[in-house]
Amino acid sequence: MTATGARPLRPAEGPDDSLRAAGQAAGCRIGAAVDHAALAGDPRYAATLAREFDALTPENAVKWAEVHPAPGAWRFGPADDLVAFAEAHAMRVKGHVLVWHEQLPAWVGALAAPGALRRALEDHIRTLVSRYAGRVTAWDVVNEAVDDAGSGLRSTLFLERLGPGYLAAAFHAARAADPRARLLYNDYGAEAPGAKADRVHALLGALLDADVPVDGVGLQCHLAAGAGPRPAAVARTVRRLAALGLRVELSELDVGVRAGDREGLRAQAAAYRALLDACLSTGCVDAITVWGVSDGHSWRRREAPLLFDPEYARKPAHGGVLAALRGRARHAAASLVPRGGESRGMQGSR
Ligand code: G3I
């Protein structure tokens, strides 16, 4: 047994009113970003994760600084635990993130010679992706490569030292290491029409035109209740990206409110439901990940942005997501879309 007790927890009793059951009926994976320490240390965290979600993304465990802190030195333990937990509970695992300018170890930043950085990048991807081939069935390959203004590629050490070709190199290396994994580009602020959304769309179109193996795009969706983009605008963005032939995922969804604001919690639930209603109705979103299991472990703790409170009690937002998934499931049943949908991110399908 691993540190996280990778053993099936007691199945839900009574009618299954979990997000997981509703998502499976709707043909949409419902996942959470997972903190290894919380999973290993809090049985309520593990129980909530196993009951409510059928997908997980390591929140930090496979970021370069965490998993590959020094040349040739790897810390696979936390990632191994998360993958084992996922396998014990029939959950998809999406690796996050192979190439990102944040959470890089100092030794990578010190690689001034382009050739050395390119070799390190390809070795990192090859070692990590091949280790989990067939077990981690999706990867955020490149994260946040477009600048906030949408004027071009973000100035990072990868762009400065390797040129724009670093994106293609990363995707090709990942494909070579696991031909069956879904390979995604992931970014924030591109959920609704605007310069950044246009730039992300153009970048992905150019990569696909150059036969770079990109299978999908993650729209992070770090939002605020009452301030986020209109759901219909996000749905238009989803359709536009799907028209490139890409899978579209809501990859880091959270909706901030002022903690303790009861009215805000109702607005938060409505925002979750409206966004998911709009995005699921496109038929182009087959995976939604909320960026954390409970507010107590959120990177935006003060804004209480998630579906469970710090004591793992369901918030109104849980009901909003459940209603949207059930609404999609009813639509799917009515239009005879096969249960589980034709495009679920199942093992072996991208
Ligand atoms: O692991 C070290 C630990 O050794 C050290 O003792 C401790 C104190 O310095 O820091 C630990 O690293 C922290 C890491 O989380 C793991 O817990 C970093 O300080 C902390 O900055 C890091 O925060 C993460 C953040 O990305 C980093 O930018 C958040 O948990 C994570 O939720 C957040 O997630 C990102 C996505 O990956 C990409 N999209 C945006 C999203 C929000 O920033």
Side-chain angles (χ1 to χ4, degrees), residues 59-60 63 66 96 100 103 143-144 220 252 291 299:
E59 186 173 6
N60 291 291
K63 289 174 178 174
E66 301 290 331
H96 173 82
W100 189 28
Q103 290 180 271
N143 189 46
E144 304 174 10
Q220 291 185 13
E252 303 184 11
W291 203 244
W299 71 294

Side-chain angles (χ1 to χ4, degrees), residues 50-181:
R51 184 186 71 244
E52 297 284 348
F53 299 98
D54 65 353
L56 70 83
T57 298
E59 186 173 6
N60 291 291
V62 295
K63 289 174 178 174
W64 204 325
E66 301 290 331
V67 74
H68 192 183
W74 295 84
R75 285 182 64 244
F76 292 123
D80 288 350
D81 285 346
L82 295 179
V83 171
F85 184 91
E87 288 175 333
H89 298 94
M91 301 169 81
R92 179 195 84 161
V93 182
K94 176 166 67 172
H96 173 82
V97 54
L98 297 173
V99 182
W100 189 28
H101 55 280
E102 300 267 0
Q103 290 180 271
L104 282 174
W107 70 271
V108 174
L111 296 174
L117 180 59
R118 173 79 178 247
R119 284 190 296 277
L121 178 70
E122 292 175 339
D123 170 63
H124 177 75
I125 293 172
R126 179 174 52 251
T127 305
L128 197 48
V129 175
S130 57
R131 178 185 178 88
Y132 296 110
R135 304 174 73 198
V136 173
T137 54
W139 282 95
D140 286 336
V141 176
V142 175
N143 189 46
E144 304 174 10
V146 172
D147 69 16
D148 289 349
S151 60
L153 290 177
R154 182 186 302 271
S155 174
T156 67
L157 88 158
F158 298 110
L159 181 69
E160 300 314 318
R161 297 181 197 169
L162 301 179
Y166 83 89
L167 288 111
F171 278 96
H172 283 300
R175 176 67 92 232
D178 183 356
R180 293 173 48 189

Side-chain angles (χ1 to χ4, degrees), residues 107-311:
W107 70 271
V108 174
L111 296 174
L117 180 59
R118 173 79 178 247
R119 284 190 296 277
L121 178 70
E122 292 175 339
D123 170 63
H124 177 75
I125 293 172
R126 179 174 52 251
T127 305
L128 197 48
V129 175
S130 57
R131 178 185 178 88
Y132 296 110
R135 304 174 73 198
V136 173
T137 54
W139 282 95
D140 286 336
V141 176
V142 175
N143 189 46
E144 304 174 10
V146 172
D147 69 16
D148 289 349
S151 60
L153 290 177
R154 182 186 302 271
S155 174
T156 67
L157 88 158
F158 298 110
L159 181 69
E160 300 314 318
R161 297 181 197 169
L162 301 179
Y166 83 89
L167 288 111
F171 278 96
H172 283 300
R175 176 67 92 232
D178 183 356
R180 293 173 48 189
R182 174 183 288 192
L183 305 182
L184 299 112
Y185 174 76
N186 192 52
D187 214 332
Y188 66 88
E191 294 87 8
K196 184 161 184 180
D198 292 345
R199 182 66 65 176
V200 166
H201 181 267
L203 169 67
L204 293 169
L207 290 173
L208 292 168
D209 288 346
D211 293 327
V212 175
V214 186
D215 303 307
V217 53
L219 299 173
Q220 291 185 13
C221 296
H222 291 300
L223 307 176
R230 284 182 304 102
V234 178
R236 276 199 300 279
T237 298
V238 167
R239 286 195 176 92
R240 186 167 73 148
L241 291 165
L244 292 173
L246 294 171
R247 308 287 194 184
V248 184
E249 301 194 17
L250 307 189
S251 57
E252 303 184 11
L253 178 57
D254 49 24
V255 180
V257 291
R258 282 189 311 281
D261 171 358
R262 294 186 64 79
E263 187 47 43
L265 292 178
R266 276 191 286 277
Q268 180 185 54
Y272 268 106
R273 179 168 186 177
L275 180 71
L276 267 61
D277 277 342
C279 292
L280 291 169
S281 69
T282 67
C284 306
V285 173
D286 66 0
I288 295 168
T289 297
V290 289
W291 203 244
V293 171
S294 74
D295 288 338
H297 294 285
S298 168
W299 71 294
R300 298 169 69 181
R301 192 163 311 177
R302 289 192 184 87
E303 299 169 81
L306 296 171
L307 309 182
F308 295 88
D309 74 13
E311 296 308 314

Side-chain angles (χ1 to χ4, degrees), residues 24-27 329 332-333 336-342 344:
Q24 285 167 2
L336 301 179
V337 170
R339 284 278 171 158
E342 68 285 357
R344 278 174 62 82

